[in-house]
């Protein structure tokens, strides 16, 4: 069996730019699809797939996924950028898709079978003030959701008006979030799992202040309190607060999680599968995390293709 073609398909439903990679084989009707979406750099990803990975993959055996992943990963010499890893992810997911079609099995069966009957998901609640957020939380709880991420003011930011338009006030934001959770938790009680995403917007010392201030409200996790460039602060964060921490939406290198996992500095990995190179590295990161008691909370935003979510 041989790969006969690799190409990128760009599309933009609902205004979200998406990239899907198709890998064709010499077997009639056998092809695979994978997600390579890097919304902000779609054309760069397309070039990485069509101009560089495609010539490298054509003519090779699509069943040798690990070999092809290592080849695509190392061939550029410089590696681990979001552009190159998204491109590689699209190919890798498509190869796993082909593997599942050959076996006649869904991918989870090839990886060892299911562990649970369903997957826990959270929904996003937003509003301009704590009461609007609470109204959204109550609506989602009525629909049956047990985990809800609470953000306030334009996806979690407290805006200020400047001469150049809306801005972000980190001090107002840091003080507003505990008030938000005090209001919501008082209304919903202890059973609902509440989450919040900082989106790396605070200075490290302010992120620590926020995590400590949120302790009374029993968050399921606080997401991305620090940017990837500030890994040295995670130890201080862990020493200062018991708020569970989820990290990694912006990580592009699988090894960026290693010190955080091995030293017990986070509680959840937020792996964006397209960003780190696909299913092949994602399953290795999950296995590493499991060995150290760190749970998985894979990143699945609305600007990932349906192929990526599947």
């Amino acid at each position: 069996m041989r790969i006969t073609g690799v190409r990128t398909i760009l599309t933009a439903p609902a205004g979200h730019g998406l990239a899907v990679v198709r890998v064709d084989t010499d077997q009639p009707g056998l092809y695979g699809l994978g997600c390579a979406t890097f919304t902000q750099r779609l054309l760069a990803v397309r070039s990485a797939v069509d101009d560089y990975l495609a010539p490298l993959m054509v003519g090779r055996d699509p069943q040798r996924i690990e070999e092809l992943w290592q080849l695509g990963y190392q061939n550029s010499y410089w590696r681990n950028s979001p552009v190159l890893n998204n491109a590689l992810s699209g190919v890798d997911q498509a190869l796993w898709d082909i593997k599942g079609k050959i076996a006649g099995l869904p991918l989870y069966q090839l990886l060892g079978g299911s562990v649970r009957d369903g997957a826990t998901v959270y929904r996003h609640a937003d509003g301009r003030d704590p009461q609007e957020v609470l109204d959204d939380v109550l609506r989602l709880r009525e629909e049956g959701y047990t985990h809800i991420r609470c953000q306030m003011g334009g996806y979690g930011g407290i805006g200020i008006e400047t001469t150049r338009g809306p801005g972000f006030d980190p001090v107002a934001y840091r003080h507003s979030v505990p008030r938000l959770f005090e209001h919501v938790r008082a209304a919903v009680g202890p059973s609902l799992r509440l989450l919040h995403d900082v989106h790396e917007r605070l200075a490290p010392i302010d992120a620590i202040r926020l995590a400590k201030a949120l302790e009374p409200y029993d968050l399921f996790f606080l997401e991305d309190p620090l940017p990837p460039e500030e890994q040295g602060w995670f130890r201080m964060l862990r020493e200062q607060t018991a708020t569970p921490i989820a990290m990694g939406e912006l990580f592009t290198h699988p090894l960026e999680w290693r010190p955080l996992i091995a030293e017990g500095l986070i509680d959840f990995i937020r792996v964006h599968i397209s960003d780190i190179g696909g299913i092949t590295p994602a399953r290795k990161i999950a296995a590493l995390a499991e060995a150290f008691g760190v749970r998985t909370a894979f990143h699945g935003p609305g600007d990932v293709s349906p192929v990526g979510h599947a």
Side-chain angles (χ1 to χ4, degrees), residues 84-108:
L84 296 179
N85 282 0
N86 271 275
L88 183 57
S89 177
V91 174
D92 180 77
Q93 291 179 43
L95 295 175
W96 278 105
D97 188 21
I98 291 171
K99 180 79 78 173
K101 290 174 179 176
I102 294 170
L105 293 170
L107 179 57
Y108 72 86

Side-chain angles (χ1 to χ4, degrees), residues 39-306:
T39 305
Q40 292 79 10
R41 299 293 185 271
L42 280 175
L43 300 183
V45 171
R46 180 178 65 181
S47 177
V49 172
D50 295 354
D51 297 333
Y52 296 99
L53 288 181
L56 196 63
M57 300 293 168
V58 169
R60 300 181 185 272
D61 184 352
Q63 298 185 83
R64 301 179 68 161
I65 298 175
E66 182 69 30
E67 178 189 26
L68 294 180
W69 190 91
Q70 294 291 345
L71 178 65
Y73 175 72
Q74 299 182 39
N75 180 261
S76 64
Y77 188 59
W78 284 291
R79 49 222 190 208
N80 285 318
S81 77
V83 170
L84 296 179
N85 282 0
N86 271 275
L88 183 57
S89 177
V91 174
D92 180 77
Q93 291 179 43
L95 295 175
W96 278 105
D97 188 21
I98 291 171
K99 180 79 78 173
K101 290 174 179 176
I102 294 170
L105 293 170
L107 179 57
Y108 72 86
Q109 293 288 17
L110 300 183
L111 299 180
S114 61
V115 179
R116 301 174 181 85
D117 293 327
T120 299
V121 300
Y122 69 77
R123 288 293 304 276
H124 176 85
D126 201 350
R128 293 169 295 181
D129 56 48
Q131 185 57 45
E132 282 194 1
V133 177
L134 175 60
D135 291 342
D136 211 15
V137 168
L138 295 175
R139 175 183 63 84
L140 293 170
R141 186 176 68 172
E142 186 67 22
E143 293 179 10
Y145 293 97
T146 58
H147 294 65
I148 300 173
R149 188 167 74 177
C150 302
Q151 311 288 138
M152 183 171 66
Y155 198 52
I158 297 300
I160 56 172
E161 288 300 321
T162 73
T163 56
R164 293 183 293 175
F168 175 70
D169 185 342
V171 175
Y173 165 73
R174 178 168 59 82
H175 286 287
S176 72
V177 174
R179 291 197 298 268
L180 165 65
F181 279 91
E182 180 182 26
H183 185 75
V184 173
R185 181 60 80 192
V188 301
S191 61
L192 203 62
R193 307 295 193 267
L194 301 178
L195 306 80
H196 182 72
D197 189 353
V198 178
H199 274 111
E200 314 92 15
R201 289 172 173 168
L202 292 176
I205 194 66
D206 286 329
I208 292 173
R209 288 174 172 174
L210 176 60
K212 292 174 69 173
L214 289 172
E215 280 189 356
Y217 310 113
D218 191 22
L219 266 63
F220 185 71
F221 65 61
L222 181 66
E223 181 180 349
D224 285 356
L226 299 170
E229 298 83 6
E230 299 289 358
Q231 285 211 21
W233 282 83
F234 274 98
R235 186 170 291 102
M236 185 179 294
L237 177 65
R238 177 59 97 203
E239 292 171 351
Q240 292 288 325
T241 178
T243 296
I245 303 299
M247 185 65 196
E249 175 183 332
L250 294 185
F251 285 177
T252 61
H253 192 318
L255 296 183
E256 288 181 275
W257 277 280
R258 186 164 67 182
L260 304 183
I261 291 171
E263 297 178 34
L265 301 180
I266 59 174
D267 302 277
F268 295 88
I269 53 173
R270 289 289 278 162
V271 176
H272 188 101
I273 293 181
S274 299
D275 213 28
I276 60 162
I279 293 163
T280 296
R283 65 191 182 98
K284 296 175 183 178
I285 296 170
L288 174 67
E290 181 184 24
F292 288 91
V294 176
R295 288 177 282 178
T296 56
F298 280 53
H299 186 232
D303 56 357
V304 167
S305 74

Side-chain angles (χ1 to χ4, degrees), residues 24-41:
D24 289 295
T25 74
D26 59 2
Q27 304 299 303
L30 181 60
Y31 65 91
L33 298 175
C35 179
T37 299
F38 179 11
T39 305
Q40 292 79 10
R41 299 293 185 271

